[in-house]
Every structure is written in C-alpha cells, then in structure tokens.
Amino acid sequence: QVQLVESGGGLVQVGGSLRLSCAASGRTFSLGWFRQAPGTERQFVAAFQWSGEVLYYADSVGGRFTISGDSAKTAVYLQMDSLNSEDTALYFCAGRAPGGTWNQRDARTYSYWGQGTQVTVSS
C-alpha cells in the first residue's frame, strides 16, 4: 500500500499562485490531482504519467496549472497560477497502481489517495 501526503495548500487572493506537493511512500505508475468543493463531486485536475512523462490537464485549468514530477517517481507538484474563486476546493493526490485499466480523469481508476490539502481563493 502506497501512502500519499499532500502539502502546500492555503489561502491566496484572486490572481495569486500556490504550489502543491504530493509525496508517495513508494513508486506508482502515475500520480494525479483531483479537487472537490463542498456539495460537488470529485473533479479531475491534472495527472502525470511516468512512462513517457505524459501530462494531462482538465480544460478548466489548462494554461494556468502545471504538473511536474521528480526523477525518483515518488513526488508530483502542481503549480497553480492565476487562481480564481472557482479553484477553491480540497485538493487530493491520487496514485495509480500497476495493472488494470487507467483513465486519468476517472477517480475510480486510482488506487491510492491522500488526505487532501485545502486551497482557498479569496476575492
């Protein structure tokens, strides 16, 4: 079982930036970020596939958020720029285990989850 720990959340003003980090206790095939605002479903944000270093983004964050991974394949980062109030949510790191079918945008295809880090964007 891989443990995921997120950090870097906080309170920021509209237009500001934050950098989230996710540290994994072991290697995963891919790591992604999801977010969930109160009363809404968990929403895909971005994912990093180690094989080929393929990046995936939700349309709502493309051009503003950048996901990156470390060479040890045990951490990913989410640089968030030009934040707006719609980005306010609890952000979760998710990890893909070997085997099975993976759809980077489908939370059900991830096996490991962190506890989440809160991002609040104030106007």
Side-chain angles (χ1 to χ4, degrees):
Q1 183 77 6
V2 175
Q3 307 295 322
L4 303 178
V5 179
E6 305 98 334
S7 61
L11 175 65
V12 64
Q13 290 188 329
V14 170
S17 299
L18 281 175
R19 178 178 167 88
L20 305 183
S21 299
C22 171
S25 62
R27 290 184 60 173
T28 62
F29 274 48
S30 303
L31 286 171
W33 289 96
F34 286 74
R35 65 188 182 186
Q36 188 168 19
T40 69
E41 293 186 353
R42 198 162 293 190
Q43 176 187 48
F44 170 74
V45 176
F48 189 101
Q49 179 180 302
W50 303 116
S51 177
E53 296 191 355
V54 182
L55 313 180
Y56 302 92
Y57 294 99
D59 291 342
S60 58
V61 305
R64 299 187 300 121
F65 291 11
T66 303
I67 190 170
S68 60
D70 75 341
S71 58
K73 302 183 180 180
T74 55
V76 286
Y77 310 96
L78 187 67
Q79 176 66 39
M80 305 187 296
D81 299 317
S82 301
L83 286 161
N84 58 57
S85 57
E86 294 182 349
D87 296 317
T88 294
L90 187 61
Y91 282 70
F92 296 92
C93 181
R96 174 196 176 195
T101 300
W102 182 58
N103 178 342
Q104 69 274 6
R105 300 174 188 274
D106 187 346
R108 297 169 299 179
T109 63
Y110 290 80
S111 300
Y112 314 119
W113 291 87
Q115 294 300 306
T117 184
Q118 179 67 38
V119 172
T120 303
V121 184
S122 66
S123 57

